[in-house]
Amino acid sequence: MVEKIASEWIAALQARGYRMSASLQVVVEVVATSPRVLSPIQAFDLARKKNTKIGLVTVYRTLEKLEEIGLIQRVHQPSGCQGFIAANAGHQHILICENCGLVEYFSGDRLDNLMHDVARESGYRISGHWLQLFGLCTQCQYEIQSSGH
Amino acid sequence: MVEKIASEWIAALQARGYRMSASLQVVVEVVATSPRVLSPIQAFDLARKKNTKIGLVTVYRTLEKLEEIGLIQRVHQPSGCQGFIAANAGHQHILICENCGLVEYFSGDRLDNLMHDVARESGYRISGHWLQLFGLCTQCQYEIQSSGH
DNA sequence: TTACTTGCAAACGTTTTGCACGATT
DNA sequence: AATCGTGCAAAACGTTTGCAAGTAA
């Protein structure tokens, strides 16, 4: 299932005309299968465990391609904006664990009314929105509680 | 009115124990009175028009202080995350013009139900959220339309 | 065989730090 | 008088670009 996602991403890249290589495959696997937000360097470190030859630049270029196709999205956090996570189509909003980066997706349908109201009141023509929630996943709640905080 | 905001910020900084200087005053004035998102360099350029001696580092350090006190907030945009805008207390959500950076504030009260639902469904303990809307302000809608786009 | 991709090194823009001087309290 | 803030220069950081060599199509 998880491997299936990676192979679908590879197919999408090939359909876009990109050539296949071991390096690209490894980066795609790492990013496609991560349930957590990954920075370029984190993706690089994970990829290096599978392919020692890989360069950081290749990670950047692969992320660029994946974002261009819409398979990943950049994640902005108070701690920084280098993160990426799979862009789960149809679930454009995410909930991020501030401790471990684990991501949950949720629907933002209930925002439509709000956006409509704001557009009318402000006169702006609204073209997009970001909604992100931050918190602690169940696992991290437990661990942090257990360690005495 | 606009000068009042700046002097309130100055007072808040002094109450925090920070010393006053011409450089700091100029930066605070620039940032406090801007209706648009400002990057550090933009704030620096504006401040230099009022005080040629000012250094970019001072702008960074002043922004750091203002953010620490909660008078400004960082603005994340698809084009970058260097922007800052006044943090209008009680109106924590913003609508940004993608063309000129003009910011409108709006209330996000209607998000409470959504957040409660997501917390229950995910098991996360939610501690914060970001909601930003992007679009074109009325002025920029007009200008872009007039110029043939 | 052609042209895209890689990895390295260097360049780049932004942000931070070290430090001597000057200014505020 | 003591300490904090400033401005400059240099360092650090993440990201992008130039290029020669390697590889996919």
Side-chain angles (χ1 to χ4, degrees):
Chain A
M1 156 115 194
V2 142
E3 295 73 25
K4 192 182 159 208
I5 296 178
S7 62
E8 283 172 2
W9 288 20
I10 302 262
L13 286 165
Q14 286 178 315
R16 275 281 238 186
Y18 292 117
R19 294 184 180 179
M20 204 37 48
S21 76
S23 296
L24 185 140
Q25 274 185 17
V26 166
V27 176
V28 168
E29 270 173 39
V30 164
V31 179
T33 61
S34 172
R36 294 173 215 283
V37 173
L38 289 182
S39 68
I41 302 212
Q42 288 175 318
F44 172 68
D45 289 339
L46 291 173
R48 272 249 159 148
K49 291 179 182 168
K50 301 188 176 188
N51 179 343
T52 41
K53 292 259 183 222
I54 216 164
L56 177 58
V57 185
T58 300
V59 174
Y60 275 98
R61 290 195 269 231
T62 305
L63 292 173
E64 191 180 354
K65 292 168 188 168
L66 292 173
E67 191 180 21
E68 176 208 341
I69 307 186
L71 294 173
I72 62 173
Q73 60 180 307
R74 186 177 288 267
V75 174
H76 300 257
Q77 292 181 269
S79 56
C81 305
Q82 303 87 8
F84 289 91
I85 190 73
N88 215 325
H91 295 87
Q92 56 273 61
H93 301 300
I94 58 177
L95 164 57
I96 309 162
C97 177
E98 289 175 317
N99 190 243
C100 73
L102 187 69
V103 165
E104 287 281 326
Y105 300 84
F106 65 92
S107 153
D109 303 336
R110 282 159 284 196
L111 255 69
D112 292 345
N113 289 338
L114 172 62
M115 284 178 54
H116 190 265
D117 289 351
V118 173
R120 181 168 39 74
E121 289 162 17
S122 66
Y124 277 52
R125 185 192 302 152
I126 296 181
S127 55
H129 63 280
W130 282 353
L131 173 62
Q132 286 184 193
L133 305 186
F134 302 99
L136 286 179
C137 69
T138 51
Q139 176 73 16
C140 287
Q141 284 175 46
Y142 177 75
E143 283 175 10
I144 289 176
Q145 181 185 326
S146 303
S147 67
H149 296 275
Chain B
M1 158 119 192
V2 141
E3 297 73 24
K4 192 181 160 208
I5 296 178
S7 61
E8 282 172 3
W9 289 20
I10 303 262
L13 287 166
Q14 286 179 315
R16 275 282 240 186
Y18 292 117
R19 294 183 179 179
M20 204 36 48
S21 78
S23 297
L24 185 139
Q25 275 185 20
V26 166
V27 177
V28 168
E29 269 173 39
V30 164
V31 179
T33 61
S34 171
R36 293 173 216 285
V37 173
L38 288 182
S39 68
I41 303 211
Q42 287 174 319
F44 172 68
D45 290 339
L46 292 173
R48 273 249 158 148
K49 291 179 183 169
K50 301 188 175 188
N51 179 342
T52 41
K53 292 259 181 220
I54 215 164
L56 177 58
V57 185
T58 300
V59 174
Y60 274 98
R61 290 196 269 232
T62 304
L63 292 173
E64 191 180 354
K65 292 167 188 170
L66 291 174
E67 191 180 19
E68 176 207 342
I69 307 186
L71 293 173
I72 61 173
Q73 60 181 304
R74 187 177 287 269
V75 174
H76 300 257
Q77 292 181 269
S79 56
C81 304
Q82 304 88 8
F84 288 91
I85 190 74
N88 214 326
H91 295 87
Q92 56 273 61
H93 302 299
I94 58 176
L95 165 56
I96 309 162
C97 177
E98 289 175 317
N99 190 243
C100 73
L102 187 69
V103 165
E104 287 282 325
Y105 300 85
F106 66 90
S107 152
D109 303 337
R110 284 159 281 196
L111 255 70
D112 291 345
N113 288 340
L114 172 62
M115 285 178 55
H116 190 265
D117 289 351
V118 173
R120 182 168 39 74
E121 288 162 18
S122 65
Y124 277 52
R125 184 192 302 154
I126 296 181
S127 55
H129 63 279
W130 282 353
L131 173 61
Q132 285 183 192
L133 306 186
F134 301 99
L136 285 179
C137 69
T138 51
Q139 176 72 16
C140 287
Q141 284 175 46
Y142 177 76
E143 282 175 11
I144 288 177
Q145 183 185 325
S146 303
S147 68
H149 295 278

